[in-house]
C-alpha cells in the first residue's frame, strides 16, 4: 500500500519520469520558510545566491534548521518511500532562486551527468516556496527521457546558466514535447535523475521564483567518485556508504558549517572533474 502517491502517480513516474503537483506542506508553512530565507538575506545584505559562496549554495539543509526539517518532512519522505522503499538518504539539496526579470536559466540536462552515483535510483523533490509559473520560469521536463541511458552533455559555463558547469544535452531536444510543472507554494513535483529537464528565465516584473530541490536516494546507492556525505531521513542504513551528516541545532551551527564546507570541497573534485580550473570558482 502506498502512503501518499496514488498507483497512477507511481505508474506515471515509472513511465514518464516525473510526478506533477503534489501538495506536501501548507501555503502558510511555505510562506513562513520563505520569510525565514528572506530574513537571512536581509541580515546578509544580499540575495541568497550572492550571500553564500558557490560551493556553499548547495546543502542549505546543513545551514538552516527550517530546511533541515523540510528534507525530513513526513509527507515528502512518504512520497519518496512510495517510489524507493523505506531506507532513504537525502544526498543533496539546492535552492534554485530566480529574481524578477532575471536572465538566469537552466539548460536541458540530466541530473545524473556529474553526480557520480552508482545507480539511477535517484529522485528530486522540487518544493515550491513561491508560485512557480510559466511567467517566472517554472521547471519543464521532457516526458519519458529518463528511460534513455546517460546522454552526452557539453559544458558551456554560460554566465546565466544556473548549473555548476552550464552543462547541456549535446543532442537536439524537441522543446515542443516538454511539459511545464507549474506549482503553488507548498506543492512539489518529483523528477527522476535521468529525466531531461530545464527552465527558462524569470520574465515576471515582480515575482521571485524559489524552489528547494531535495535529492533523495535509497541507501543501496553508492558514490563512485570518492568519499561523500548524506543525511539519513528514514529507516536504517546498513550499507554505510555515505558519512552521515549532523543536524544543525540552530541556524549557522558552526559544526554543520564546517562539515558542509568539507563535504562541498570533496564534491567539487567530481562535480568539476576534467575542468579542475573551474573547481575553485
Ligand atoms: O529550478 C530549476 O529551474 C531547475 C532545477 C533543476 O535543474 C533540478 O532540480 O534538477
Amino acid at each position: 500500500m502506498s502512503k501518499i502517491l496514488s498507483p497512477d502517480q507511481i505508474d506515471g513516474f515509472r513511465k514518464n519520469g516525473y510526478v506533477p503537483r503534489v501538495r506536501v506542506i501548507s501555503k502558510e508553512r511555505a510562506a513562513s520558510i520563505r520569510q525565514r530565507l528572506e530574513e537571512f538575506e536581509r541580515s546578509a545584505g544580499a540575495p541568497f545566491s550572492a550571500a553564500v559562496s558557490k560551493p556553499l549554495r548547495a546543502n542549505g539543509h546543513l545551514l538552516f534548521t527550517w530546511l533541515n526539517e523540510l528534507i525530513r518532512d513526513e509527507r515528502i519522505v512518504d512520497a519518496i518511500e512510495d517510489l524507493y522503499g523505506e531506507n532513504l538518504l537525502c544526498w543533496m539539496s539546492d535552492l534554485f532562486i530566480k529574481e524578477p526579470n532575471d536572465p538566469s536559466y537552466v539548460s536541458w540536462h540530466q541530473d545524473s551527468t556529474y553526480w557520480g552515483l552508482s545507480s539511477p535510483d535517484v529522485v528530486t523533490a522540487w518544493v515550491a516556496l513561491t508560485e512557480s509559473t510559466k511567467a517566472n520560469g517554472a521547471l519543464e521536463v521532457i516526458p519519458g527521457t529518463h528511460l534513455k541511458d546517460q546522454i552526452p552533455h557539453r559544458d558551456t559555463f554560460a554566465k546565466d546558466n544556473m548549473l555548476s558547469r552550464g552543462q547541456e544535452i549535446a543532442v537536439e531536444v524537441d522543446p515542443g514535447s516538454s511539459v511545464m510543472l507549474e506549482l503553488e507554494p507548498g506543492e512539489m513535483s518529483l523528477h527522476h535523475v535521468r529525466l531531461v529537464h530545464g527552465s527558462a528565465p524569470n520574465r515576471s516584473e515582480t515575482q521571485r521564483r524559489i524552489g528547494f530541490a531535495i535529492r533523495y536516494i535509497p541507501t543501496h546507492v553508492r558514490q563512485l567518485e570518492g568519499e561523500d556525505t548524506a543525511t539519513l531521513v528514514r529507516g536504517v542504513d546498513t550499507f554505510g556508504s555515505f558519512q552521515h551528516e549532523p543536524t544543525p541545532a540552530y541556524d549557522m551551527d558552526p559544526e554543520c558549517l564546517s562539515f558542509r564546507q568539507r563535504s562541498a570541497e570533496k564534491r567539487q573534485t567530481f562535480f568539476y572533474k576534467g575542468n579542475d580550473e573551474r573547481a575553485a570558482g
Side-chain angles (χ1 to χ4, degrees):
M1 241 304 260
S2 59
K3 290 189 160 168
I4 294 287
L5 300 180
S6 67
D8 280 353
Q9 286 171 314
I10 296 173
D11 235 43
F13 182 78
R14 307 265 179 252
K15 283 194 192 121
N16 303 317
Y18 69 98
V19 178
R21 210 185 269 285
V22 181
R23 162 81 41 206
V24 280
I25 57 172
S26 65
K27 275 191 173 170
E28 293 71 27
R29 183 160 166 221
S32 120
I33 296 172
R34 174 181 181 175
Q35 192 184 345
R36 299 191 74 165
L37 172 70
E38 292 181 342
E39 274 163 19
F40 165 76
E41 291 177 313
R42 272 192 295 280
S43 69
F48 183 81
S49 50
V52 291
S53 63
K54 217 175 178 191
L56 288 180
R57 225 164 55 190
N59 283 354
H61 66 274
L62 295 177
L63 287 182
F64 303 116
T65 54
W66 31 279
L67 291 183
N68 204 279
E69 284 158 15
L70 201 53
I71 67 163
R72 301 164 191 276
D73 181 83
E74 193 172 349
R75 279 184 68 81
I76 299 176
V77 180
D78 278 352
I80 308 302
E81 180 174 333
D82 288 341
L83 300 175
Y84 287 113
E86 62 190 6
N87 298 315
L88 296 166
L89 295 158
C90 164
W91 173 65
M92 183 164 73
S93 67
D94 261 310
L95 270 167
F96 280 96
I97 303 178
K98 292 180 188 164
E99 304 298 337
N101 269 323
D102 185 347
S104 302
Y105 67 97
V106 175
S107 48
W108 294 117
H109 69 287
Q110 289 172 307
D111 287 334
S112 47
T113 311
Y114 297 113
W115 285 359
L117 297 170
S118 62
S119 151
D121 290 347
V122 187
V123 58
T124 293
W126 198 100
V127 182
L129 299 178
T130 60
E131 272 190 346
S132 185
T133 61
K134 183 170 186 198
N136 69 7
L139 190 63
E140 292 177 68
V141 299
I142 314 270
T145 45
H146 68 303
L147 298 174
K148 295 182 192 293
D149 215 331
Q150 180 63 51
I151 301 172
H153 284 56
R154 63 178 154 248
D155 298 337
T156 69
F157 291 99
K159 181 172 145 287
D160 294 320
N161 195 319
M162 298 176 87
L163 299 178
S164 59
R165 303 164 67 129
Q167 63 268 31
E168 61 184 25
I169 296 267
V171 294
E172 217 39 55
V173 170
D174 172 13
S177 59
S178 70
V179 171
M180 185 163 290
L181 301 179
E182 293 191 314
L183 298 171
E184 293 287 315
E187 291 180 334
M188 73 168 178
S189 59
L190 299 170
H191 64 266
H192 185 274
V193 74
R194 285 253 164 87
L195 190 71
V196 175
H197 61 287
S199 65
N202 182 351
R203 306 269 183 224
S204 81
E205 298 292 324
T206 53
Q207 301 291 316
R208 284 189 110 183
R209 194 220 66 169
I210 307 176
F212 187 50
I214 316 172
R215 327 297 189 171
Y216 292 100
I217 52 176
T219 49
H220 69 78
V221 175
R222 288 170 294 115
Q223 175 54 259
L224 299 175
E225 299 286 346
E227 286 175 23
D228 204 354
T229 68
T231 293
L232 186 67
V233 291
R234 178 152 302 169
V236 289
D237 179 6
T238 55
F239 294 88
S241 309
F242 291 84
Q243 184 183 3
H244 287 187
E245 295 164 340
T247 304
Y250 49 89
D251 290 351
M252 298 298 181
D253 182 336
E255 186 203 346
C256 289
L257 276 180
S258 57
F259 188 97
R260 183 167 176 264
Q261 179 67 36
R262 284 194 305 278
S263 169
E265 282 162 10
K266 283 184 204 148
R267 281 188 187 169
Q268 291 281 90
T269 61
F270 52 89
F271 279 8
Y272 290 96
K273 199 171 170 184
N275 256 301
D276 300 337
E277 73 280 7
R278 307 280 181 162

